[in-house]
Structures are given as C-alpha cells and as structure tokens.
Amino acid sequence: MEKDTLLLLEKVNQLSLSESERDTVLGFFEKRECDMEKLNAIDTENVERMVHVLPINTVVREDVAKKLFTRDDLQKGAPETMDGFWQVPRVVE
Amino acid sequence: MKFETVIGLEVHVEMATKSKIFCSCSAEFGGEQNDHVCPACCGMPGMLPIVNKKVVDLGMTAGMMLNCHINRTTTFDKKSYYYPDLPAAYQTTQWFAPVAVNGTVEIETANGKKSVRIKQIHMEEDAGKLVHDDWTGTSLVDFNRTSVPLIEIVSQPDLSSAEEVVAYLERLRSLLRFAKVSDCRMEQGSMRCDVNLSVRPEGSDKLGVRTEMKNMNSLSAIVRAIEYETARHIDAIENGTEELVQETRRWDDVKGKSFAMRSKETAGDYRYFPDPNIMPVVIDDAWYDAIKASLPEFPEVKKARYTTELGLGDYDADILTGSRALCDCFEGALAVCGNAKEAANWLISDCMNVLNKKQLTADQLTIDGKALGELIVLVSDGKVGRGNAKKILEAMFEQELSPAKYAEENGFIVSNDTGLIEKTVREAIAADQKAVADFKGGKEKALMALFGKCMKQLKGNCDPQLLRTMLIDEINKA
Ligand SMILES: [Zn+2]
C-alpha cells in the first residue's frame, strides 16, 4: 500500500496516525500483500465463490409494520434534540 | 468534429413494503419526524438487522422483469460513509453478490428500438433526511426514511440521448409499477436517478471524462440537465473552456446549470465489506418459482391481447394497460360480466371520473373488479338504472360492498311494477298537457321532458326502454 492511500484512509476514517504508527501499518500491509500474491497465483477458474465460511443462511421476517418504540424513549440519550429532530452540528455539502 | 454522448443511469426505487428493510418500523412516506424509528434504524450499538422477506421478493421480481440473472445466494455488505443522515456511519447494501445481474430493458424512441443492458440490481437501505436550520446554525435529522428499502438499478452506459433516457425511465417505471415493486413517484422521491455522462468523438471507443449528477427527480429536469452537461463537455473538449474532471455535480433546475459538488469517491473510499451481521440470503427453488409465477404479463403483451382477443380499440387498451390497477379491475370485472367493451367503458369514463374528482391516479384505484362486474350485470339485466349505478359506483370507492345488496338497501332496484309506472305516466301526462300537445305536434324534445319527470318520480328505478314505450302508448291513447 502506498502512503497516499493510507493518508486517504486515515481521512475517510477520521483517524490521525503518528509517523511511526504509519510505518507499522505500511509494514503490516506489505506482508499481507505478499500473502495475497501467493493466493492470487492459485488457479481458481472453476472454484465456486465462497460467500460465507459456514453453510448457513439468514432467517427472514414477514413484512409487518410494528411500532415498538416512541420517539421520546429513543431520544432520551440524545445530546441535543429540537422539535422531535436529532440536532447535530451543521453539515452542508 | 461530431460528438456522441454516453450515458449510464443509476435508478433508486423505493420498494412498496409496509415495513423497513431490517426492522419492523413503518416504511410509509411522511409521518411526523422520527415517528417511524427504533434502535435498529437509528443505528444504536448492538442492534441486529433481520431481513424483510418482501424486500427480497421485490428485488427478485424487479430482476425478473428486467430479464436479469438472479443470484440464488445473495449477500449484504457495508458501505462506509460518514454523514449524520446515516446513523450507523455505514449503509447496508449489496456489493459482492447483488440479487440480480446482467439484464436488459427494451426501449423505443423515434430512432427505433434499442436494448439497454442492466449491470445489476441491488437491495439497500435509504438514508434519513436532513434539514439545515439557519436560525440555530445546526442540522436537524429525521430518521423516518432511514432503512426504508430501496433497489438500485444500474445500467451499462448504453444510452446516448435525453430522449433515450426518458424512454428508459418510463419503461422502468411502467414495468416496476406493473409488478407492484414500487409506485415509482418521482415527485415523492420514490424514484430517483443518478445520471453518469461523458462525451467522446463519434465512433471512438474510448470513454471521455465522466461526471455524475445525483438525485434527479423529474423527467424534465433530467432532460435539461443532460442537454446542459453535454454542451458543457463538448465546449470543454473543443474550445478548452475548462478542464473536465471526474466529479459529482449538482443540477440547479432554476438556474439551468450544473455545479461541482465534491470530487467523486472511488469504490475504495467506501471500504465495502461483507456485513457480518447478515447471513447469506439463499433463494431455494420453491421461493424462486413462487416469484416467477407471480410475475404479471408485460403491459404490451396485455395490450395486444386486449385488442386482438377482446376487441378493444387501441385507445382504450392503451389507457387500461397504463396502470396495473386498471388492468386488474378490468380483468376482474370481465370475468364476471363477460362484456369487455362495457367493462372498459365503466373504467375509462366512470371510474376515471371519480378518480379525477378525488384527485387520485389510476394506480390508486381500489375498487374490486368482481364487484364492478356485478354492477355491470345489474345494469345490463335492467335491474338498476344507469344513473343509480353511478351512485353505487361512487359508494364502491368509499367502502367494499356488494352492488346488488347496496342497490336493494338504497331502493335502487328497478321496479317491474308496471302498475306503478302506468300510474306515474298518467299523472305526468295529466299534469303537463302542453308537453303532450307539443309531442303530438312533432316536438321530440317534449317527450324527454315527460320522461325525465317520470324517471325522477320513480327515483330512477325503471327500465328506460319500458318507460319510453309506456309513455308513447299513453300519449297516443290520450
Ligand atoms: Zn426501525
């Protein structure tokens, strides 16, 4: 992984790493990339893609609407609310 | 140099479900702010999603309607982005194994027919709504729409003009409404569209720099945006007015211009990864077959059948097949009354009239086709007059009812009591000698006046043909 990529990931993850932490992470990824190269060398042409490690599938629920919570209950832990809205620092694109 | 425009669309459609995709909150449009919310769709820690079966049903349905291959094992993934309308800081969507892939949609424009390839259809959750409050300088968040189920239909860049884009969107809307996947109401935001556009010299096989306009929700705005963006690209390439960059742009329909919004994220920025909280959805044969069997006839197939087999005119067939609700009601009525023309007339003139009065669209027609068929039979059997039948029809819009029973309860059954009709006719004649003289003198209209008075007296419960005959007989006797 290039340092630029790491800096971008820091930004989108809202992290800021020290230079030595960056070196550790980059070193880690260098090793993983070597592992990946070994995996990529294997011929997987006719191997079915694995979507999950266990042979398991999800349960589904019927489409029934229920009201189980009130707004007031949910907003009890909210730092700020206003007129039933959650209130957050202003964001504008 | 001549240029060609290359357009690909990402269309978001809100699915017609009662509840949200991963929790039981209501998915209904509107409502008081934060009234349709629970800890799951508010992104509270520790809440686990449970997949709504109907969402998968409708995802498959959409895939089949657009000739896609259905992935029998389909999985959900997390797409990270940090914004207050997305409380979990990721959107649950499908990236690695979407429900449907590799489809086609046939469109027709003045330039002929064209097949538009569908790359994939994936199921995902919608985000919440933000209101920016100038007074307090804060943003207010409403999570009602958070986790409302969506499908995103991603086309290949096969479209080359605004006209084709409109034809494609109208075709999608028609198919998805027919299959009851969504009501596809752009003005309510239940169908929204991202337009990816680039321009290249005609005949070139290299794609130009691509820009994306997000969240377009009206056909006319889409047309204007495509025309503007195409001209801007060509100007940049030919005259070097600006350097084109890959970016997301916002279309301002009032100003008639697009504006740069932010540099386009690449897939890497979203850090897609399999959602460990949702196991794969495995679609077995029984499930797949049930959805396959539930698919409706395509609108144009229905139209052909209505005109050739049922003898309806092109115009009538067009109106009926413009809406699945009209088709369902028509077919239900036809099964009971056996008269296609009558059933079509009742729907196209009478039912549409009531809908217009109520400011509803054809898709919002709720009356039962079987009941409409019974009403048509009552009229054709001469048991209920046409005027009273219309009153019954109006009542049918308010409540589910049996037309025969309702007619009886409200005194709408045509009387076969010739004694009563005769008495009414005599009284009318006696009361209006002038009309009698006028009619005898050759004024046809005079008969209509007498006819109207009698019909009113009889509260409309009289076979009009019988009344007319008896009137003329009595006048001739007088
Ligand atoms: Zn919820």
Side-chain angles (χ1 to χ4, degrees), chain B residues 161-202:
Chain B
S161 67
E163 194 197 4
E164 286 184 1
V165 167
V166 169
Y168 170 78
L169 289 172
E170 283 179 342
R171 180 71 181 154
L172 274 191
R173 185 161 64 179
S174 161
L175 291 176
L176 296 177
R177 277 185 180 168
F178 244 75
K180 297 185 178 172
V181 171
S182 168
D183 59 7
C184 295
R185 293 171 71 164
M186 287 191 120
E187 72 287 358
Q188 279 194 356
S190 65
M191 185 171 182
R192 315 191 283 273
C193 173
D194 301 344
V195 180
N196 290 299
L197 182 147
S198 65
V199 163
R200 65 182 172 193
E202 207 172 60

Side-chain angles (χ1 to χ4, degrees), chain A residues 8 13-14 49 52 57-58 60-61 63 65-67 69 71 74 83-88 90-91 93, chain B residues 18-20 23-24 33-35 39 51-53 82 97 132 134 137-141 261 269 271 280:
Chain A
L8 177 70
N13 280 300
Q14 313 221 337
R49 192 171 60 95
H52 200 273
N57 53 356
T58 192
V60 289
R61 133 186 97 73
D63 181 30
K66 288 181 208 151
K67 188 168 173 58
F69 291 87
R71 181 169 72 192
L74 282 166
D83 301 334
F85 291 99
W86 266 268
Q87 194 176 21
V88 300
R90 188 177 175 92
V91 282
E93 274 185 2
Chain B
K18 293 191 178 73
S19 62
K20 293 187 176 181
C23 64
S24 298
Q33 55 268 28
N34 293 309
D35 202 29
V51 177
N52 181 345
K53 176 174 178 291
Y82 191 77
H132 302 294
D134 287 329
T138 58
S139 293
L140 304 174
V141 199
M261 236 164 78
D269 299 345
R271 289 154 294 138

Side-chain angles (χ1 to χ4, degrees), chain B residues 108-114 160-161 163-164:
Chain B
E108 197 171 352
T109 63
N111 296 327
K113 291 186 177 171
K114 186 170 189 175
S160 49
S161 67
E163 194 197 4
E164 286 184 1

Side-chain angles (χ1 to χ4, degrees), chain B residues 26-87:
Chain B
S26 168
E28 208 181 323
F29 177 76
E32 266 207 27
Q33 55 268 28
N34 293 309
D35 202 29
H36 306 159
V37 291
C38 75
C41 55
C42 288
M44 304 272 185
M47 298 305 301
L48 289 176
I50 306 173
V51 177
N52 181 345
K53 176 174 178 291
K54 179 89 180 182
V55 170
V56 185
D57 288 351
L58 295 179
M60 268 197 272
T61 304
M64 289 175 185
M65 291 301 282
L66 309 187
N67 301 310
C68 291
H69 166 76
I70 303 296
N71 274 328
R72 300 288 283 266
T73 299
T74 179
T75 51
F76 285 96
D77 306 292
K78 290 185 175 185
K79 174 184 181 178
S80 315
Y81 81 80
Y82 191 77
Y83 208 62
D85 61 2
L86 198 68

Side-chain angles (χ1 to χ4, degrees), chain B residues 253-408:
Chain B
D253 205 38
V254 179
K255 295 200 176 87
K257 281 182 170 179
S258 69
F259 296 93
M261 236 164 78
R262 57 181 172 197
S263 58
K264 173 86 178 116
E265 299 89 346
T266 57
D269 299 345
Y270 290 131
R271 289 154 294 138
Y272 284 100
F273 69 100
D275 189 330
N277 294 327
I278 309 174
M279 300 300 112
V281 179
V282 176
I283 299 159
D284 60 18
D285 288 350
W287 193 357
Y288 181 90
D289 294 343
I291 298 301
K292 192 94 198 167
S294 74
L295 296 184
E297 243 175 331
F298 273 39
E300 64 276 9
V301 177
K302 248 189 213 305
K303 192 192 156 191
R305 190 164 60 84
Y306 286 1
T307 50
T308 55
E309 282 177 34
L310 302 176
L312 294 186
D314 257 1
Y315 175 79
D316 288 0
D318 253 342
I319 295 189
L320 290 178
T321 55
S323 149
R324 171 79 186 273
L326 285 182
C327 290
D328 285 353
C329 189
F330 170 72
E331 288 172 22
L334 179 64
V336 173
C337 75
N339 186 336
K341 284 217 168 81
E342 244 341 88
N345 279 342
W346 272 92
L347 276 161
I348 292 166
S349 57
D350 302 285
C351 291
M352 289 302 265
N353 265 342
V354 182
L355 287 170
N356 285 342
K357 257 192 253 168
K358 292 176 175 291
Q359 296 186 314
L360 297 175
T361 64
D363 272 326
Q364 289 167 299
L365 179 76
T366 51
I367 65 169
D368 175 33
K370 190 167 155 277
L372 179 65
E374 287 167 13
L375 182 67
I376 294 170
V377 171
L378 287 176
V379 176
S380 60
D381 285 356
K383 287 190 179 136
V384 171
R386 228 191 134 81
N388 283 336
K390 284 185 187 178
K391 285 183 198 156
I392 298 174
L393 181 72
E394 282 189 31
M396 282 160 65
F397 275 83
E398 305 302 326
Q399 52 177 305
E400 226 175 280
L401 55 83
S402 147
K405 206 166 149 236
Y406 186 85
E408 223 161 274

